[in-house]
């Protein structure tokens, strides 16, 4: 009788634990689904979903456009004429130069993150992209350059703390945006 009661108590405890874990997982799934939906709504350019994970594309858009502020450095100017929130205007992202780089930070210029002819954001494989965000190692600093081999403006020490899944989502989103040449009119 005692062992039956202990078995019943243990079974109940396990059931409660599984239920709590299931609810927590469900809440996490709901939160991620909401971020993905918002990511699709706020993407400032048309997205190409062919051979891409649609959920990661949406999540990557959310991370880049709602959390990361990537547009502020990798798009110049960041906002379209008449759409600059810093001038009290309703925000409109400069979709023509979106992620084409060109913002100057002293001797440094933000990189074009749009996909190259092979569909690689900034010309990087995912492993190279992840390494840049984790270590700050400049992937193509010319030999003999007077500039340091570590990215000086990019906030890689913070972005490098993201999960591999978040970094994969950013990469997948960047694969989905239009490929464009480097910004022809870089500026401050």
């Amino acid at each position: 009788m005692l062992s039956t009661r202990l078995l019943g108590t243990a079974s109940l405890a396990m059931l409660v634990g599984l239920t709590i874990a299931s609810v927590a997982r469900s809440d996490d799934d709901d939160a991620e689904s909401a971020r993905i939906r918002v990511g699709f709504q706020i993407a400032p350019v048309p997205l190409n979903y062919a051979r891409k994970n649609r959920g990661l594309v949406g999540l990557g858009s959310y991370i880049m456009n709602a959390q990361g502020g990537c547009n502020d450095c990798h798009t110049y100017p960041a906002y379209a004429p008449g759409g600059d929130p810093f001038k009290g205007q309703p925000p409109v992202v400069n979709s023509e130069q979106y992620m084409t780089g060109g913002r100057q930070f002293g001797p440094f210029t933000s990189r074009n993150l749009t996909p190259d002819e092979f569909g690689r954001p900034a010309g990087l494989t995912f492993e190279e992209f992840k390494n840049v965000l984790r270590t700050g190692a400049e992937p193509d600093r010319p030999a003999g350059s007077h500039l340091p081999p570590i990215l000086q403006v990019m906030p890689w020490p913070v972005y490098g703390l993201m999960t591999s899944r978040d970094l994969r989502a950013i990469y997948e989103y960047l694969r989905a945006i239009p490929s464009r040449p480097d910004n022809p009119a870089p500026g401050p």
Side-chain angles (χ1 to χ4, degrees):
M1 177 84 150
L2 184 59
S3 64
T4 304
R5 193 175 279 160
L6 285 174
L7 184 58
T9 302
S11 295
L12 179 62
M14 187 165 54
L15 180 62
V16 167
L18 289 173
T19 301
I20 290 171
S22 175
V23 168
R25 212 174 12 258
S26 176
D27 288 347
D28 288 346
D29 291 346
D30 289 347
E32 182 161 296
S33 292
R35 287 191 294 271
I36 290 168
R37 278 192 308 278
V38 169
F40 290 137
Q41 292 168 357
I42 64 175
V45 292
L47 301 174
N48 172 0
Y49 301 108
R51 296 185 307 275
K52 295 169 188 76
N53 179 313
R54 190 175 169 91
L56 287 180
V57 169
L59 181 59
S61 174
Y62 180 82
I63 293 168
M64 286 189 65
N65 296 305
Q67 291 178 324
C70 304
N71 183 63
D72 295 338
C73 295
H74 289 279
T75 305
Y76 183 78
Y79 297 97
D84 188 340
F86 296 103
K87 295 179 180 175
Q89 302 162 345
V92 177
V93 170
N94 177 359
S95 60
E96 293 303 311
Q97 294 302 319
Y98 183 69
M99 295 297 134
T100 62
R103 184 169 299 275
Q104 298 290 148
F105 297 92
F108 306 102
T109 304
S110 65
R111 177 186 295 269
N112 181 341
L113 299 181
T114 69
D116 67 8
E117 66 271 18
F118 304 106
R120 298 174 307 199
L124 303 172
T125 66
F126 174 64
E127 289 305 316
E128 291 168 332
F129 180 81
K130 186 167 69 167
N131 183 59
V132 168
L133 288 178
R134 295 248 193 263
T135 68
E138 175 62 66
D140 58 0
R141 182 77 69 214
S145 172
H146 70 285
L147 298 175
I150 300 291
L151 294 170
Q152 299 296 300
V153 178
M154 173 69 186
W156 60 267
V158 174
Y159 294 153
L161 299 174
M162 290 182 180
T163 66
S164 290
R165 178 173 167 74
D166 285 350
L167 294 178
R168 175 52 106 176
I170 293 168
Y171 188 83
E172 196 75 355
Y173 171 69
L174 287 171
R175 288 181 60 230
I177 68 174
S179 179
R180 299 215 169 111
D182 290 349
N183 190 325

